[in-house]
Amino acid sequence: MSSDEPEARDPAKRAPEAPDRREPPPADHGPSLEQRLARATARAARQEELFHELIERCPFGIYIVDADFTIASMNHRSQDGAFRNVRPLIGRPFAEAMRILWPEEVAQEIIGHFRDTLDTGVPFYSRAFYRPRQDVPGTEGYEWELQRTRLPDGRFGVICYYYDSTELRRAQQQIADDQRRLRLMVEELNHRVKNTLAIVQSLALQTFREVEGAGAARSAFEGRLQALSHAHDVLTRVHWRAADLGEIVATAATACGVEGRVSASGPPVALQPRTAVTMAMALHELVTNAIKYGALARDGGEILVAWSVTEDPPRRLLWRWEERGGPPVHPPARRGFGTRMLERALAGELNGRVRMDFRPEGLVCTIDTPLGGELLPAGPGPDAAPL
C-alpha cells in the first residue's frame, strides 16, 4: 500500500461523540399557582354573587339582628315588605323598628321571641300571626321563623325568615265568617221547619178528631211525621251536608223504643239530605211494621240490619233488613203506604232496586244501588252491635 493512500479507519478506534448539552424541554405541570389562585378567587366571588342573588330574589323576607340587638342585614323583599315604613334600616335598634311597625303589646311579644332565641338558641316558629299594624291602618299576617347563627364578628345573632300571609289570613277569616252566617241560617231554617211540623201535627190532630174510627190513621200519621222530624234532627247535626246511614238506622230504632232489638253493621256511608229523609221515612215504616206484625211483635224477635260496599267498579251499596223470631209471615193482600214507599219512592230516590221478600220466617228487605251521586262512601265502620 502506498504511503499516499489514506489509512483505513478501524470502527473500534473511532473517537467518542461529544455529549448533547442542550436543556431538556420543561415538564408540563398545568396552571401555575397564581393561575389556580385566580380561578379559585373568581369561583368564590361568583358563588357569593349567586348566594346574594338567591337571597334577594327569594319570595321571603330575611333579615339579621346582631348581638347588640340592631338590624345588621336585610334583603330587599323585607325592606319593601314589612319594614317599608322604617328608614333607615341597617344599624337601627331592632326594638325601635318594632315599635314603629306594631303596637307596644305586639312589639314586646316579638322582641321577647327574638331575645329568647338569641339567649337560648332555641328556634321559634309562628304560623298564625295576624295583628293590627301601628304604622298603617289594617291588620297583617305573617308566618315567621327565628334561628340563631354565628356572625362574622364571632358573636351570635338571630336570622328571621318570614312570609306575608295577609291575603291567606283574610281569606280564612272570610270563610270562617261565611260559615258562621251559614250555621245561623241553617239553625233558623231548622227552627222554622220544626214550627211547620208542629203546625201540621196540630192540624192533623184536629182533623182526625172529627173523623170516627181514625185512631189508627192518626197514630200512623203522627209516627211518620215524627220520623220526618228525626231525619231533620240528624241532618241538622251535620249542617245539612250528609247523614250517616248507620245513624239514620239507629235513630229510627230509638224513636220507636226498640234500639236493643235491632243490630246494625256496615261501613259508614253518607247519604245526601234528600236521600236521607226518604231513607228515614222508609225505615220508620219497616220498624212500625215489625212492631205490629213482624219480629218485634213477639218476645225474642230481633232485626238484623247490615250493609256492604262492593269493591269492583261500578261500586254498589248492598243493604239488607232481616227479621227473625217473629210470627209466621204471609205476603200482604195489598200494598200499603210503607211498601209503596220502599218499592217506589226509595228505589227511585236511590236509582236502585228494592226487594221485599215476605218469607215465612220473617221479612227480608234488600236494597241494591249504585254508590255514587246521592251516596258517598265514608270509610271503615264498626262490627255488628245492638243499637
Side-chain angles (χ1 to χ4, degrees):
M1 180 180 294
S2 104
S3 58
D4 296 331
E5 293 179 357
E7 186 179 357
R9 294 182 179 180
D10 186 354
K13 295 181 178 180
R14 288 180 182 173
E17 296 180 359
D20 188 355
R21 299 183 180 278
R22 291 176 299 175
E23 291 288 334
D28 186 10
H29 295 295
S32 66
L33 178 61
E34 291 79 4
Q35 290 173 325
R36 293 199 300 271
L37 223 77
R39 291 179 183 177
T41 302
R43 281 198 301 270
R46 181 55 186 152
Q47 287 177 345
E48 185 177 352
E49 291 174 0
L50 287 174
F51 180 74
H52 185 268
E53 185 176 353
L54 175 67
I55 295 298
E56 291 299 334
R57 293 192 177 186
C58 76
F60 302 97
I62 303 174
Y63 62 94
I64 297 175
V65 175
D66 63 19
D68 297 323
F69 232 58
T70 60
I71 300 173
S73 182
M74 183 177 293
N75 69 347
H76 284 102
R77 174 77 65 172
S78 191
Q79 293 181 31
D80 298 336
F83 290 84
R84 60 189 179 272
N85 291 328
V86 180
R87 293 295 184 272
L89 275 168
I90 306 305
R92 189 169 200 140
F94 177 68
E96 182 181 303
M98 287 298 98
R99 290 186 171 92
I100 293 174
L101 298 177
W102 306 102
E104 180 62 26
E105 182 179 353
V106 180
Q108 288 287 356
E109 175 189 349
I110 298 172
I111 293 168
H113 291 309
F114 270 78
R115 288 201 180 278
D116 183 67
T117 297
L118 181 62
D119 294 340
T120 66
V122 177
F124 174 77
Y125 305 90
S126 176
R127 298 291 180 264
F129 183 88
Y130 192 59
R131 304 286 193 278
R133 291 274 295 226
Q134 174 76 10
D135 56 329
V136 294
T139 303
E140 292 186 0
Y142 295 93
E143 295 186 12
W144 47 295
E145 173 182 331
L146 303 180
Q147 297 283 349
R148 190 170 75 172
T149 187
R150 193 174 292 278
L151 301 181
D153 63 3
R155 298 188 298 171
F156 285 120
V158 177
I159 301 180
C160 177
Y161 310 88
Y162 74 87
Y163 175 75
D164 189 340
S165 59
T166 302
E167 294 303 320
L168 174 63
R169 299 301 175 197
R170 288 174 180 169
Q172 291 174 336
Q173 187 66 46
Q174 184 63 49
I175 292 172
D177 292 342
D178 291 344
Q179 289 177 338
R180 280 193 293 270
R181 283 193 291 270
L182 178 60
R183 283 195 295 271
L184 289 174
M185 292 174 62
V186 169
E187 290 171 2
E188 176 63 22
L189 174 63
N190 290 330
H191 178 69
R192 295 188 180 189
V193 168
K194 289 288 188 181
N195 287 343
T196 302
L197 291 176
I199 292 172
V200 170
Q201 185 175 24
S202 176
L203 292 173
L205 288 175
Q206 295 179 25
T207 302
F208 282 121
R209 190 180 296 121
E210 298 173 358
V211 179
E212 291 187 10
R218 184 186 66 187
S219 297
F221 183 80
E222 286 180 349
R224 288 160 185 162
L225 203 60
Q226 289 175 359
L228 181 60
S229 177
H230 292 319
H232 277 263
D233 290 339
V234 173
L235 289 168
T236 298
R237 288 195 291 272
V238 294
H239 305 296
W240 282 83
R241 289 192 298 269
D244 182 69
L245 176 57
E247 186 175 2
I248 293 175
V249 175
T251 300
T254 302
C256 295
V258 294
E259 58 272 20
R261 301 175 67 183
V262 179
S263 296
S265 64
V269 175
L271 276 64
Q272 296 292 350
R274 187 177 61 181
T275 304
V277 170
T278 305
M279 190 71 183
M281 298 292 291
L283 279 165
H284 173 75
E285 297 301 323
L286 286 169
V287 172
T288 54
N289 182 76
I291 292 173
K292 292 179 181 179
Y293 315 109
L296 302 182
R298 177 180 291 179
D299 292 341
E302 62 177 351
I303 298 173
L304 304 180
V305 183
W307 60 92
S308 61
V309 177
T310 62
E311 295 298 330
D312 298 331
R315 302 179 70 193
R316 303 184 70 83
L317 171 68
L318 307 177
W319 188 88
R320 180 182 177 89
W321 166 288
E322 182 178 354
E323 299 185 19
R324 296 179 181 179
V329 174
H330 304 283
R334 64 181 185 85
R335 300 294 195 195
F337 174 82
T339 304
R340 291 197 305 272
M341 169 174 285
L342 288 163
E343 293 181 334
R344 297 178 186 176
L346 188 59
E349 189 69 50
L350 298 177
N351 192 28
R353 297 188 299 272
V354 177
R355 181 182 177 186
M356 303 285 289
D357 188 359
F358 295 92
R359 301 177 183 180
E361 61 272 19
L363 170 67
V364 175
C365 174
T366 58
I367 300 173
D368 181 350
T369 182
L371 189 62
E374 291 296 331
L375 294 165
L376 304 172
D383 296 330
L387 298 174

